Amino acid sequence: QVQLVESGGGLVQAGDSLRLSCAASSRYFMGWFRQAPGKEREFVAAFSLSTSNTYYADSVKGRFTIARDAAKNTVYLQMNSLKPEDTAVYYCAARSYFSATYRTTGAYDYWGQGTQVTVSS
């Protein structure tokens, strides 16, 4: 059983930065998703713990960075130049290996509880 514990959400102004953390109990392929009110959950970024490859949605490329601290078994999502449209509940997700379907929610077996990110204009 994998446990995912997220932290780091909050209320910020447009242009500010936030860093989300996801502590995982095991080594897995990790993803971040987000869900805004009335919208479907969407892919944000992913990190392969075995290859260190990173993957991003076009909407966050160049502004968000996913990285990990192996010693802490934690994956981070550094979010810079935040925009009001980034407002959502952000979820950490995990699966056991890379899949070509990594951008879909169905590809992941484990999910965190979510953390709210609100960006005011």
Side-chain angles (χ1 to χ4, degrees):
Q1 186 75 14
V2 175
Q3 292 184 327
L4 304 177
V5 181
E6 300 137 334
S7 61
L11 171 64
V12 297
Q13 294 185 333
D16 285 351
S17 299
L18 270 179
R19 189 178 75 163
L20 305 183
S21 301
C22 176
S25 59
S26 300
R27 290 168 57 86
Y28 278 76
F29 183 91
M30 305 295 295
W32 283 98
F33 285 74
R34 65 187 181 187
Q35 188 166 20
K39 295 187 177 181
E40 294 187 352
R41 195 169 297 188
E42 64 174 4
F43 171 76
V44 176
F47 186 96
S48 171
L49 274 66
S50 60
T51 65
S52 295
N53 287 341
T54 57
Y55 309 87
Y56 297 96
D58 288 343
S59 60
V60 306
K61 201 172 294 184
R63 299 188 298 123
F64 291 11
T65 301
I66 188 170
R68 70 151 171 159
D69 182 330
K72 296 182 179 180
N73 217 14
T74 298
V75 173
Y76 301 97
L77 184 68
Q78 177 67 43
M79 305 186 294
N80 298 330
S81 302
L82 282 162
K83 304 175 182 179
E85 50 263 45
D86 294 318
T87 295
V89 177
Y90 282 70
Y91 296 91
C92 178
R95 57 173 289 118
S96 57
Y97 52 87
F98 174 84
S99 167
T101 62
Y102 67 86
R103 293 176 181 266
T104 65
T105 57
Y108 295 82
D109 302 309
Y110 305 98
W111 291 86
Q113 79 285 359
T115 185
Q116 177 70 47
V117 172
T118 303
V119 184
S120 62
S121 56

